[in-house]
Amino acid sequence: EVKLAESGGGSVQPGGSLRLSCSASGFTLDSYEMNWVRQTPGKGLEWVSFISRNGENAYHAEFVEGRFTISRDNAKNSIYLHLNSLRAEDTAIYYCARDPTGYIYGFNYFDLWGQGTLVTVSS
Amino acid sequence: EIVLTQSPGTLSLSPGESATLSCRATQPISNNYLAWYQQRPGQAPRLLIYGASSRAPGIPDRIRGSGSGTDFTLTISRVEPEDVAVYFCQQYGSAFGQGTKVEIK
C-alpha cells in the first residue's frame, strides 16, 4: 500500500522545539519531491516547506522566518521537519504530502497525504 | 499573489442531486494549474482533480472538474453520503481556497 505516516507531534511551550517525521511506504521516496502542509481552523490549509528528491533544494513559506528546517533520508524512506522557536500560531495539524510533478524548484500540487500529526503550542 | 475564493461556503443536498462548487481566482491561472481536494471528516485531504479537469487515479467519473482563466468548477453528480466532506481548490505552487462544505440532507 502506498502510504505516508507522520509522527512526532505533541504539546510544547512557546519557544520550544519539535521534530516531525514522515515515513513513506509502498513507493520509492527518492523519486519524489516532498512537502509539509499544515491546517488550522482559522487559516485553513497552508504550505509550509518543500524539499527536492535529492535534498539539494529546500524552500519554506514566509511565515517560517528561518525557524523550521526540512530534511530527508531517502535510505530510511523518511522526511523530517525540525520546528524551532515555536509560537502559538504554529498550532496545527502538520501533514506530509507528495508532489508528483517532478519539478525540483518548488511545489505544485499534492497527490498523496499522510494522516497528519498535531502540534500544540501553549503555555 | 492570486487569491482563491470558493463558494458557496456550505452546500446542503439530497442524495442523488448534483453539487456545483465554484473556485474563483483574483487573476487568471495559467495553464489551468488548479487542483481540487476532498477532505472527509477526520481524514487528510485527498487529491480529486489536477490540471483543472484531470481526475486523479481512483476518482469516479461522476466527479468532474472544469473551467479556465479565473473561474473553475467542481461538479459532483448523484451525490452520495460518502461525498460529505470539505472541498478545497489550490493553484499550483500557491495557496488553497478556504473550502466548501458539502452536507447531505
Side-chain angles (χ1 to χ4, degrees):
Chain A
E1 182 187 5
V2 176
K3 188 178 173 183
L4 297 169
E6 302 91 338
S7 60
S11 294
V12 62
Q13 293 186 338
S17 298
L18 280 175
R19 187 184 83 155
L20 307 184
S21 299
C22 172
S23 176
S25 57
F27 68 98
T28 305
L29 185 65
D30 62 11
S31 295
Y32 291 91
E33 282 59 54
M34 297 296 294
N35 298 264
W36 289 92
V37 178
R38 72 184 187 182
Q39 186 172 30
T40 63
K43 291 199 169 184
L45 289 163
E46 293 182 296
W47 169 75
V48 179
S49 301
F50 163 96
I51 189 165
S52 59
R53 61 189 65 190
N54 60 7
E56 286 191 357
N57 300 323
Y59 307 107
H60 300 277
E62 286 187 8
F63 62 77
V64 168
E65 297 178 337
R67 300 177 298 127
F68 301 171
T69 302
I70 188 171
S71 61
R72 66 192 295 161
D73 185 339
N74 289 333
K76 294 184 177 180
N77 291 316
S78 293
I79 67 166
Y80 308 97
L81 188 66
H82 300 254
L83 309 172
N84 297 311
S85 303
L86 282 162
R87 306 166 179 165
E89 55 264 36
D90 295 317
T91 295
I93 298 173
Y94 285 75
Y95 297 99
C96 64
R98 187 178 78 176
D99 184 325
T101 62
Y103 182 63
I104 67 170
Y105 298 109
F107 73 98
N108 282 303
Y109 65 93
F110 313 108
D111 74 335
L112 181 66
W113 300 64
Q115 86 287 352
T117 188
L118 177 62
V119 172
T120 303
V121 185
S122 173
S123 55
Chain B
E1 178 189 345
I2 295 177
V3 175
L4 300 177
T5 301
Q6 294 187 241
S7 62
T10 301
L11 200 50
S12 186
L13 300 161
S14 299
E17 290 187 317
S18 290
T20 301
L21 287 66
S22 171
C23 176
R24 183 160 290 174
T26 52
Q27 299 173 46
I29 293 177
S30 60
N31 302 113
N32 287 342
Y33 282 167
L34 188 101
W36 288 93
Y37 302 89
Q38 175 194 65
Q39 187 174 31
R40 291 171 171 153
Q43 295 187 16
R46 175 175 74 141
L47 177 68
L48 297 177
I49 300 288
Y50 62 96
S53 60
S54 297
R55 271 184 293 275
I59 302 304
D61 59 9
R62 62 186 185 84
I63 293 177
R64 187 172 69 92
S66 61
S68 63
T70 59
D71 292 306
F72 297 87
T73 300
L74 182 72
T75 304
I76 307 172
S77 302
R78 304 180 302 282
V79 165
E80 303 176 1
E82 68 177 23
D83 299 323
V84 169
V86 180
Y87 294 81
F88 298 94
C89 57
Q90 182 231 336
Q91 180 197 3
Y92 288 18
S94 189
F96 294 82
Q98 83 280 15
T100 290
K101 184 177 183 180
V102 172
E103 300 177 335
I104 300 290
K105 291 179 184 175

